[in-house]
Amino acid sequence: MPFEWYTDFVNTSYRPNKTDLKCLFYFEPAKGISVKEAVGRIASESSAGTWTTLARMPKRIKGTMATAFEIEKSGGGHYAKVAYPIDLWDPGNVPQLLSGIAGNIFGMKALDNLRLVDVSLPQAYIRHFRGPQFGIDGLRKLLKVKKRPITGAVPKPKIGFSAREHAEVGYETWMGGFELLKDDENLTSTSFNKFEERIMLCAKMRDKAEKETGDRKSALLNITGPTDVMIKRARMLHDLGWEYAMIDVVTCGAAGVQTLREICQDYHLAIHAHRAMHASFDRNPKHGISMLFLAKMMRLIGVDQLHIGTVVGKLVGTKGEVMNLEKELTARVLRGEKTGHEFPLLNQKWNHIKPVLPTSSGGVHPGLLPEIFDILGYDILLLVSGGIHGHPKGTRAGAKAAMQAIEAHMVHTSLEEYAKKHIELRQALEKWGHKHPR
Ligand code: CAP
Ligand code: MG
């Protein structure tokens, strides 16, 4: 007697209603499992089903069953869209959403591979979220930077400086023309660089640099940790007049980011989201969770800035993927974007949710900037870290070289031409040229 009912979750003629939350999956059925049985398992295990028919099935169960409705062959696998009734979801609760659409389904024996590619969030779901506090215009106003990329750098080596040395590197970075000093993703508070000491000394150097340059200077200081510790650190930043808090959003998890989004609203702190650990689940094109999905979750929760890659730097991310990420973070409406995905992405109306400032970082040096700007434009936060501290004449000259490369591109002049009258850029090009680091 058959005891499975997975295929009850498949209806290729289903037309989703406007309150359905929709997911796009890529999947490869295991040997001996049909496409319909595989996609039925995805829809079933991520909503109301289980492996066997049940003795007690309340009538209302129909209203919580997901429906796989569009299945298309692609390469060695298939894409499928799955629609979820809005009543499945706890309003404002991202961890619970992830437990549904990004939970058990990844471990099913009936699938060889599964990737959660995209999600389309209905207004009925996004209305429970604040989204970003500042938006790109708000961040530009905060730093008084109108058109060009906002610039920043992480002290390198990434961990090891004392708090005082860290602040000194910050001063040199700011005096070289950059707006932001950023903590590295693995620097929070150590015996040799305590958080409370670093933020106080950096505040002193910030004030000094602001006075000497007349420009706004700030820092992305890493509060990552247990949520109660993050709350305390956010308070300390606020009390020292800092305008940002940095969070490693994957290691802190959606719950931590959601809690801090509320705290940062009260302290008027913009959230800089570092994505360290994302490549553990988004790098394999056949299995895991896309960076696009993570980016949409972070925009929904309301980070203000998020790393999206460089295409030409040291870390993975194709041109199509990085351009898609920029679009998903900044557009108000997305209709079936195709860049870089053989299957059109899902439509998305962001309504009240402000845009997020895309952050491009990772192996960047002045010689790479024209390629990055040709791909991403200027409406980004550009982080050049090793690419300024490795300059033959040191940090301040390195930051100046990066600023000169930005100026050159914005006046449509080649770096080599501009370097004739700008020695710091010339010295950077002599060391790195236009090399793509690996
Ligand atoms: C870059 C960086 C950033 C990466 C993160 C690093 O330093 O500080 O964490 O950019 O990657 O630690 O590698 P460099 P992504 O500029 O010296 O490479 O931005 O892709 O999330
Ligand atoms: Mg880093």
Side-chain angles (χ1 to χ4, degrees):
M1 164 170 161
F3 58 77
E4 290 177 349
W5 54 306
Y6 290 122
T7 52
D8 290 7
F9 291 80
V10 184
N11 173 1
T12 49
S13 51
Y14 177 73
R15 288 287 158 268
N17 59 50
K18 72 181 180 56
T19 61
D20 280 353
L21 184 142
K22 296 186 290 286
C23 285
L24 174 65
F25 291 100
Y26 169 83
F27 66 101
E28 294 175 2
K31 201 162 170 325
I33 299 285
S34 74
V35 169
K36 190 173 178 184
E37 287 166 328
V39 78
R41 279 164 172 75
I42 295 169
S44 161
E45 278 294 344
S46 57
S47 63
T50 189
W51 61 276
T52 173
T53 48
L54 303 163
R56 185 178 173 192
M57 285 283 279
K59 282 252 171 310
R60 86 176 79 83
I61 197 86
K62 251 316 198 195
T64 58
M65 285 171 66
T67 308
F69 63 99
E70 254 182 56
I71 306 163
E72 205 171 298
K73 181 114 184 66
S74 170
H78 290 73
Y79 280 92
K81 292 179 185 175
V82 178
Y84 296 86
I86 191 69
D87 287 352
L88 261 179
W89 309 117
D90 177 358
N93 183 339
V94 171
Q96 184 252 359
L97 175 69
L98 298 179
S99 299
I101 62 175
N104 289 357
I105 50 177
F106 286 111
M108 290 190 293
K109 289 179 179 170
L111 299 175
D112 280 345
N113 279 303
L114 174 68
R115 183 172 171 83
L116 173 53
V117 177
D118 194 5
V119 63
S120 178
L121 304 158
Q123 172 59 17
Y125 190 76
I126 68 171
R127 68 189 181 86
H128 299 290
F129 292 86
R130 288 182 192 276
Q133 184 173 178
F134 288 82
I136 296 176
D137 294 346
L139 295 168
R140 285 190 171 282
K141 247 186 235 119
L142 194 160
L143 292 171
K144 297 190 173 31
V145 175
K146 283 204 174 61
K147 288 253 170 288
R148 65 166 170 75
I150 293 172
T151 52
V154 178
K156 299 284 177 176
K158 57 173 43 183
I159 198 160
F161 284 126
S162 67
R164 184 163 301 285
E165 290 162 343
H166 188 107
E168 285 162 2
V169 173
Y171 176 71
E172 288 304 305
T173 302
W174 283 318
M175 294 309 287
F178 278 20
E179 282 79 44
L180 295 173
L181 174 68
K182 174 182 170 293
D183 282 352
D184 230 323
E185 65 282 353
N186 57 339
L187 175 65
T188 50
S189 193
T190 58
S191 56
F192 48 84
N193 191 335
K194 285 194 175 15
F195 180 82
E196 37 284 25
E197 196 187 358
R198 178 167 78 251
I199 66 171
M200 185 268 292
L201 292 173
C202 286
K204 286 198 165 61
M205 287 300 180
R206 170 201 64 198
D207 297 347
K208 184 170 164 12
E210 282 195 332
K211 204 153 148 266
E212 292 168 5
T213 61
D215 297 330
R216 294 303 312 275
K217 303 294 179 187
S218 194
L220 310 175
L221 295 154
N222 194 357
I223 64 171
T224 294
T227 305
D228 60 320
V229 171
M230 290 204 278
I231 293 170
K232 283 196 198 94
R233 289 176 174 170
R235 167 80 194 253
M236 290 181 211
L237 292 175
H238 168 265
D239 293 351
L240 279 168
W242 291 111
E243 301 92 346
Y244 299 81
M246 169 178 163
I247 302 175
D248 295 342
V249 293
V250 178
T251 56
C252 284
V257 182
Q258 284 195 259
T259 303
L260 267 293
R261 173 65 188 89
E262 294 309 306
I263 299 290
C264 289
Q265 182 73 21
D266 300 342
Y267 289 146
H268 211 53
L269 288 172
I271 297 176
H272 178 81
H274 195 289
R275 59 176 181 170
M277 199 164 93
H278 72 94
S280 66
F281 52 76
D282 75 11
R283 186 168 181 176
N284 177 344
K286 293 191 165 190
H287 186 82
I289 299 171
S290 71
M291 178 64 214
L292 182 84
F293 176 84
L294 174 66
K296 290 178 91 163
M297 287 298 106
M298 290 302 133
R299 179 172 181 181
L300 178 71
I301 294 173
V303 304
D304 293 282
Q305 308 178 161
L306 175 67
H307 290 238
I308 64 165
T310 63
V311 184
V312 294
K314 70 183 185 187
L315 299 158
V316 293
T318 64
K319 187 173 176 188
E321 285 163 5
V322 174
M323 288 173 73
N324 251 0
L325 286 169
E326 182 177 48
K327 232 177 249 170
E328 282 290 354
L329 288 179
T330 57
R332 291 196 70 79
V333 179
L334 290 114
R335 289 196 195 297
E337 306 300 322
K338 205 132 164 50
T339 347
H341 279 267
E342 59 277 21
F343 200 89
L345 294 173
L346 301 179
N347 294 346
Q348 181 64 53
K349 284 193 184 122
W350 283 105
N351 299 333
H352 72 286
I353 303 283
K354 290 192 183 92
V356 173
L357 183 63
T359 299
S360 189
S361 170
V364 179
H365 57 79
L368 289 183
L369 298 194
E371 289 177 83
I372 291 175
F373 298 150
D374 289 348
I375 295 167
L376 293 175
Y378 300 133
D379 226 3
I380 58 172
L381 165 56
L382 177 75
L383 295 177
V384 189
S385 303
I388 67 166
H389 306 306
H391 188 280
K393 297 293 177 201
T395 298
R396 189 181 304 207
K400 282 184 179 169
M403 296 307 286
Q404 290 158 5
I406 294 170
E407 290 153 17
H409 196 268
M410 293 185 84
V411 296
H412 314 291
T413 306
S414 77
L415 299 188
E416 283 67 18
E417 190 53 38
Y418 209 75
K420 287 176 185 160
K421 296 202 178 102
H422 296 87
I423 180 158
E424 294 86 357
L425 180 54
R426 189 164 70 246
Q427 290 161 337
L429 292 175
E430 281 160 4
K431 177 164 184 178
W432 295 302
H434 299 267
K435 196 168 161 13
H436 293 195
R438 280 175 62 88

